Amino acid sequence: MRFVNRYDEALLHLIYAGSDIIWCQSFHDPLPQVPLKALKYGAAPVAVTSNENKFRHFVAHEQETTRFSQFISSAFGYLSLSQAVDEIKNNPSKWKQKIADAMVKDFSWNAECYDVHVSAYTAMKSL
């Protein structure tokens, strides 16, 4: 484990690409950039939240749940750092498949957000 206390875009890409696990401050962030980037680079996002804290859900109940938030919550939402390390060591083929499945998912604008915005615009037009 290593903490880097500076921002460097090129270094950031190397860190994501060379990591198996990326610690995320929270999955509650309204802009889930860190977990999304981690998945695209093949690293598992793990929330820095203790096991005793049962508030590891990705979105608040009053917010609309997106495909990304549903996926991250079901695949990594309750995964602690020790569980992730254990899974990497004890079942590497299952772990690699889990990460490979996450990497091919399309959570881009065209995949999900576009549909949400079009339906919102259509609803506004019909008022």
Side-chain angles (χ1 to χ4, degrees):
M1 179 181 294
R2 183 169 187 184
F3 292 94
V4 179
N5 193 22
R6 66 184 169 115
Y7 183 78
D8 179 342
E9 191 71 27
L11 179 60
L12 182 63
H13 288 285
L14 291 173
I15 290 170
Y16 275 115
S19 298
D20 292 318
I21 298 169
I22 296 289
W23 263 9
C24 305
Q25 180 177 353
S26 170
F27 287 163
H28 297 288
D29 188 351
L31 300 171
Q33 295 295 319
V34 173
L36 184 59
K37 285 181 182 178
L39 289 175
K40 283 301 170 190
Y41 277 90
V46 174
V48 182
T49 309
S50 69
N51 284 340
E52 292 80 33
N53 186 351
K54 299 302 180 197
F55 300 104
R56 291 184 135 222
H57 301 289
F58 187 79
V59 294
H61 294 290
E62 65 273 2
Q63 294 176 337
E64 182 176 334
T65 303
T66 63
R67 284 187 316 115
F68 177 66
S69 63
Q70 290 170 346
F71 174 77
I72 201 86
S73 183
S74 67
F76 302 100
Y78 292 99
L79 188 67
S80 70
L81 180 60
S82 62
Q83 289 169 324
V85 171
D86 287 345
E87 195 169 333
I88 289 170
K89 287 186 341 188
N90 299 328
N91 200 346
S93 60
K94 181 180 174 189
W95 179 262
K96 286 178 184 176
Q97 186 60 50
K98 183 177 190 175
I99 296 301
D101 291 344
M103 289 177 73
V104 297
K105 298 226 181 269
D106 184 9
F107 298 114
S108 67
W109 175 266
N110 290 333
E112 182 170 10
C113 295
Y114 176 80
D115 294 335
V116 171
H117 285 279
V118 167
S119 64
Y121 177 75
T122 304
M124 292 297 289
K125 271 181 58 174
S126 66
L127 291 177

